[in-house]
């Protein structure tokens, strides 16, 4: 699951997200991916 989240994180631009939203979501997604990786 973490690799999939890491792949999704930078793709927000394709969905037309503005820079602020993209930054917020990317950092949150990557943080959750790291938490999941730490559990395995």
């Amino acid at each position: 699951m973490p690799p999939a989240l890491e792949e999704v994180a930078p793709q927000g631009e394709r969905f037309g997200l503005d820079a602020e939203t993209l930054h917020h979501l990317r950092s949150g997604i990557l943080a959750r991916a790291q938490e999941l990786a730490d559990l395995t």
Side-chain angles (χ1 to χ4, degrees):
M1 182 71 148
L5 288 175
E6 291 169 2
E7 289 176 21
V8 168
Q11 295 179 14
E13 289 177 357
R14 289 198 291 167
F15 298 112
L17 298 176
D18 63 85
E20 184 178 340
T21 302
L22 184 58
H23 175 73
H24 175 76
L25 291 175
R26 183 183 298 135
S27 61
I29 289 170
L30 292 176
R32 299 300 77 78
Q34 185 58 55
E35 288 175 357
L36 288 171
D38 291 344
L39 293 174
T40 59

